[in-house]
């Protein structure tokens, strides 16, 4: 089995690719993201631009050792904060008149995986190791 550091490097590369791509898409093609933004969010186009910048900054931060932990925490918080938009997207698309079968599958998988995305961000940032390695000292027998 690969070491924790090896898995962390793989997860970091994946998170950099995921958040970097998402950030560029938020800025280059904002309309789909504006459409899923809940109505209570003020100035949705500006918010989408800001979230794109945050995603790109987080991805870059994961690449810089001195910023890695902060970036991991920030991306985890970001994943929590955008979850209402994920829920709205699911509800909007699942109640649309014509829903492709893949949309049901996408949301059925995507929504429950949000906690995994949160964990991946803090794991990739080096904030947590659990459950891959437990750092608690072992008890010695007979004492």
């Amino acid at each position: 089995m690969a070491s924790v550091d090896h898995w962390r490097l793989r997860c970091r590369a994946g998170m950099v690719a995921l958040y970097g791509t998402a950030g560029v898409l938020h800025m280059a093609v904002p309309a789909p993201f504006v459409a899923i933004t809940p109505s209570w969010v003020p100035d949705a186009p500006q918010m989408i631009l800001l979230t794109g910048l945050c995603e790109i900054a987080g991805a870059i931060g994961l690449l810089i050792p001195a910023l890695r932990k902060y970036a991991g925490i920030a991306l985890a918080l970001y994943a929590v904060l955008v979850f209402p938009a994920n829920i709205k997207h699911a509800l909007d698309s699942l109640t649309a008149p014509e829903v492709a079968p893949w949309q049901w599958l996408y949301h059925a998988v995507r929504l429950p995986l949000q906690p995994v995305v949160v964990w991946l961000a803090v794991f990739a940032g080096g904030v947590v190791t659990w459950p891959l390695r437990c750092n608690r000292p072992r008890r010695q027998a007979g004492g």
Side-chain angles (χ1 to χ4, degrees), residues 29-109:
V29 190
F33 302 103
V34 171
I36 68 168
T37 303
S39 60
W40 51 264
V41 173
D43 200 359
Q46 290 294 70
M47 193 60 66
I48 296 306
L49 174 65
L50 179 61
T51 58
L53 291 171
C54 289
E55 289 170 324
I56 292 169
I60 292 169
L62 285 177
L63 296 172
I64 301 170
L67 300 177
R68 193 166 287 150
K69 286 186 179 186
Y70 299 111
I73 292 168
L75 288 172
L77 289 172
Y78 173 85
V80 170
L81 294 174
V82 299
F83 195 58
N86 299 134
I87 293 170
K88 181 183 183 303
H89 184 212
L91 294 174
D92 287 352
S93 65
L94 297 180
T95 58
E98 295 181 28
V99 178
W102 66 266
Q103 287 178 312
W104 289 93
L105 180 60
Y106 168 79
H107 293 295
V109 171

